[in-house]
Amino acid sequence: MTDTSNFTTRSIQIAFIAIMVGIWYFVTKTGSISPLFLPPLDSVWATFVRLVQTNAFWSSVRLTLWTIAQAWVIAVVLGIVVGYFVTRSKFLTEVFEPVIASTFAIPLTLLFPLFILMFGIGPASKVAYAATYGFFPVALNTIAGLSSVDERYLRSARSMGASSLDTFRHVLFPAAFPVILTGLRVSFFISFASVLGGETLSSAAGIGKNIALAAELMEPARMYAWIVFVICITVTLNFVVSAIENRRREY
Amino acid sequence: MSAPASDRPTAIAVRNVTQRFGDKNSPGMVLALDNISLDVKRGEFVCLLGPSGCGKSTLLNIVGGLFDATEGTVTVAGHEVKGPSPRDISFIFQESTLYPWYTIRENFDVSFKFQKVAKSEWAGRTKDALAQVGMSKFIDHYPTQLSVGMRQRVNLARGIALGTDIILMDEPFAALDEQTRMVLGEDLSELLAKTGKTIVFVTHSLAEAVFLSDRIFVMTARPGRIKSIMEVGEPHPRSPDFMLTPKFSQLRNDLYAMLRDEVRAAIAIERGEPASAGAAA
């Protein structure tokens, strides 16, 4: 990508955000939308500024981010291990790949009450739920990545006498890495959404809980302050993940 | 190359190799190679030529120990081949077997690591081999930064750097355009004349076979058998002028005549027609 086209895309993206904010400003200013559904920008901002000065805000944020991190790490480790062993034979791949793929197609949200029953309303139920959901894209992409490694790479490694550990380290893993990375990324955002969703549905604390509470208490400005904060985190994390991906994909 | 091929010791001995895919009595069984025997002398450049699907790559993989033959034996350097023997045999595949996630240097290093070459030799061997193919400048490039022809030069260099007496080449130039292919062929002829390695080369190209080989084994359509053996009898290194001689044209035409029926038979097999159409009876 050239610098100019990069500059153009960035400008359009920033303009898009500016327009969204502009629309928000005008529809609330003119009173064409009830402040209960969408409070004015300045009141959301004022609430947000007050919110970030409280300890309760930061302890909620810490709790939620920690929950997401735990869930994601569990999902990644389990997904890669399961993906690796499933691809050790064509037979296992044929048996288990469709099973994992179709389980992933079930809306696992249906099972959320079960997680609450098993793990309580504390963070543990959110970790278990989000790890379960986040496991699937990692496992599926690991299977897809490892089983689509070009046969010629493997044959060439074998002809040079590579051991199976060497083959995994220097051939299988690097060849599958771009596909696995996509799984890690999808899994991360699924874990993120699952933790927040879980907290909104049933929880004692965390960002999701605060959003649900603000809505119940009819405090739209506070609710939007939280939502805007979550959007900011998401955008930042997305940038970080893309930057890592681009660096790894240079070859 | 002075001594006539017949006086040199045998480097590779293939005895009664048969390869079947699928169960012997099942209707889906494919007989890929049927009772093949051949000898390759040390320092000889031999081509396996035949229509698609005749099993020439299968035979090469059996010689290199990547496949086990259903029946028969292959002996290399006095030992029966039971699996890959990276000390004696290296393969050169198409250029796309360079790992795109490593630089050229790292590709060589990983190959040496696989082959268990002492680490102290890695840098020197890489440097020498790249210099021989004129690619020293590109040691820190990634394969995708090079043209297909340059990549294949690097790939040849890697095969040479592995330092085995025998090199098996599986259609190494198949992805190259005609002109690059000719130039690489000339370079290969020159390189090999210097090193005196034993080469078995699989190709589709008649001109390539005549230009490079000491002997050409022409194979039949499936099931693969040796139909005939052609002696080229032209010393290495060969200059591109060899291609302009009447001898070259004559050999090429003879090869084409031998191969034509087999190619038709192979096409008939692909279409699922009775294999008898033009196959060697």
Side-chain angles (χ1 to χ4, degrees):
Chain A
M1 209 189 303
T2 64
D3 283 351
T4 11
S5 77
N6 206 350
F7 179 75
T8 315
T9 33
R10 282 277 171 278
S11 312
I12 295 172
Q13 286 161 345
I14 290 167
F16 175 75
I17 295 168
I19 290 169
M20 294 302 285
V21 173
I23 292 173
W24 184 352
Y25 181 78
F26 276 107
V27 294
T28 50
K29 200 82 182 165
T30 55
S32 53
I33 191 162
S34 158
L36 201 56
F37 296 137
L38 187 65
L41 200 51
D42 45 344
S43 82
V44 171
W45 177 247
T47 315
F48 180 72
V49 171
R50 248 180 291 130
L51 204 57
V52 297
Q53 287 166 348
T54 61
N55 279 331
F57 175 85
W58 292 108
S59 75
S60 288
V61 170
R62 263 199 306 276
L63 175 73
T64 299
L65 292 182
W66 178 232
T67 310
I68 294 166
Q70 285 172 291
W72 187 57
V73 168
I74 295 171
V76 168
V77 172
L78 279 183
I80 291 180
V81 169
V82 168
Y84 178 76
F85 284 107
V86 165
T87 49
R88 284 318 82 205
S89 93
K90 266 215 166 76
F91 175 72
L92 288 174
T93 311
E94 274 169 24
V95 172
F96 287 108
E97 199 274 343
V99 173
I100 298 172
S102 37
T103 313
F104 187 38
I106 300 168
L108 295 178
T109 314
L110 296 175
L111 301 180
F112 182 68
L114 198 62
F115 283 97
I116 296 292
L117 278 179
M118 287 194 291
F119 298 97
I121 60 164
S125 57
K126 263 63 73 180
V127 170
Y129 169 62
T132 307
Y133 229 144
F135 157 81
F136 291 94
V138 178
L140 288 172
N141 278 59
T142 305
I143 292 171
L146 291 178
S147 54
S148 66
V149 173
D150 195 326
E151 184 56 37
R152 287 171 306 173
Y153 292 151
L154 297 170
R155 198 148 31 108
S156 145
R158 212 155 74 78
S159 77
M160 294 185 277
S163 67
S164 48
L165 183 68
D166 279 344
T167 307
F168 181 77
R169 211 179 125 196
H170 296 292
V171 186
L172 271 177
F173 190 74
F177 188 74
V179 182
I180 295 178
L181 193 64
T182 306
L184 300 188
R185 182 185 175 144
V186 172
S187 163
F188 182 79
F189 288 106
I190 285 184
S191 304
F192 193 93
S194 301
V195 168
L196 281 167
E199 286 179 349
T200 313
L201 283 172
S202 170
S203 182
I207 295 175
K209 175 69 184 171
N210 280 285
I211 293 174
L213 201 62
E216 276 171 40
L217 298 175
M218 299 277 226
E219 290 186 60
R222 206 150 74 87
M223 186 181 85
Y224 275 96
W226 276 107
I227 291 174
V228 169
F229 179 73
V230 172
I231 292 173
C232 292
I233 295 182
T234 317
V235 170
T236 312
L237 288 174
N238 199 24
F239 267 120
V240 172
V241 172
S242 304
I244 296 171
E245 254 183 326
N246 288 339
R247 272 185 51 169
R248 286 303 312 218
R249 278 189 179 160
E250 254 166 21
Y251 54 76
Chain B
M1 313 297 289
S2 43
S6 49
D7 295 353
R8 292 185 227 145
T10 302
I12 303 167
V14 176
R15 288 290 171 271
N16 309 102
V17 163
T18 292
Q19 179 71 40
R20 275 185 292 268
F21 294 109
D23 192 50
K24 191 170 184 174
N25 298 314
S26 85
M29 188 273 285
V30 171
L31 184 60
L33 296 171
D34 187 14
N35 198 24
I36 295 213
S37 295
L38 57 87
D39 279 333
V40 180
K41 302 286 176 193
R42 191 178 295 164
E44 198 178 18
F45 194 121
V46 156
C47 243
L48 301 176
L49 185 74
S52 325
C54 74
K56 50 194 189 302
S57 291
T58 306
L59 180 57
L60 198 74
N61 283 320
I62 290 170
V63 171
L66 294 183
F67 291 174
D68 291 329
T70 319
E71 287 166 24
T73 58
V74 175
T75 313
V76 165
H79 301 286
E80 195 178 323
V81 172
K82 296 275 188 200
S85 36
R87 299 236 155 245
D88 299 318
I89 300 176
S90 60
F91 271 87
I92 296 179
F93 301 98
Q94 284 188 16
E95 87 301 332
S96 49
T97 53
L98 290 171
Y99 300 130
W101 47 89
Y102 288 140
T103 62
I104 302 305
R105 186 201 303 276
E106 290 164 342
N107 263 287
F108 277 68
D109 287 352
V110 148
S111 301
F112 294 136
K113 187 178 177 193
F114 287 169
Q115 214 206 14
K116 296 174 185 66
V117 174
K119 204 164 185 171
S120 55
E121 292 182 29
W122 294 5
R125 282 214 207 175
T126 304
K127 230 180 100 196
D128 292 346
L130 285 176
Q132 287 192 57
V133 296
M135 291 294 293
S136 307
K137 269 198 304 196
F138 301 97
I139 190 165
D140 288 316
H141 282 58
Y142 284 92
T144 45
Q145 295 172 304
L146 307 177
S147 72
V148 185
M150 289 158 95
R151 253 181 272 164
Q152 189 53 298
R153 274 177 191 278
V154 171
N155 200 24
L156 288 180
R158 181 172 64 168
I160 292 163
L162 291 174
T164 57
D165 290 335
I166 297 172
I167 300 183
L168 307 179
M169 302 176 128
D170 194 356
E171 299 201 44
F173 301 149
L176 304 182
D177 64 81
E178 181 78 27
Q179 289 155 18
T180 312
R181 210 176 165 129
M182 275 160 45
V183 174
L184 267 179
E186 288 160 24
D187 292 0
L188 183 63
S189 167
E190 206 170 306
L191 269 178
L192 297 172
K194 274 188 272 181
T195 55
K197 291 185 186 294
T198 309
I199 315 276
V200 182
F201 191 98
V202 165
T203 185
H204 274 113
S205 162
L206 303 174
E208 203 164 82
V210 176
F211 184 72
L212 292 170
S213 313
D214 295 314
R215 278 192 301 160
I216 302 165
F217 292 89
V218 180
M219 293 176 71
T220 63
R222 206 165 66 210
R225 302 190 183 97
I226 303 294
K227 179 170 176 155
S228 54
I229 302 171
M230 177 187 270
E231 296 265 356
V232 176
E234 179 80 16
H236 285 282
R238 294 175 185 169
S239 94
D241 295 337
F242 175 47
M243 278 191 246
L244 306 174
T245 60
K247 181 182 177 187
F248 184 90
S249 312
Q250 187 57 50
L251 289 170
R252 195 186 167 287
N253 293 344
D254 292 350
L255 263 188
Y256 182 62
M258 279 185 238
L259 209 56
R260 199 169 54 185
D261 291 344
E262 300 310 326
V263 175
R264 292 210 173 273
I267 292 170
I269 292 171
E270 273 177 10
R271 289 193 194 133
E273 290 164 15
S276 59

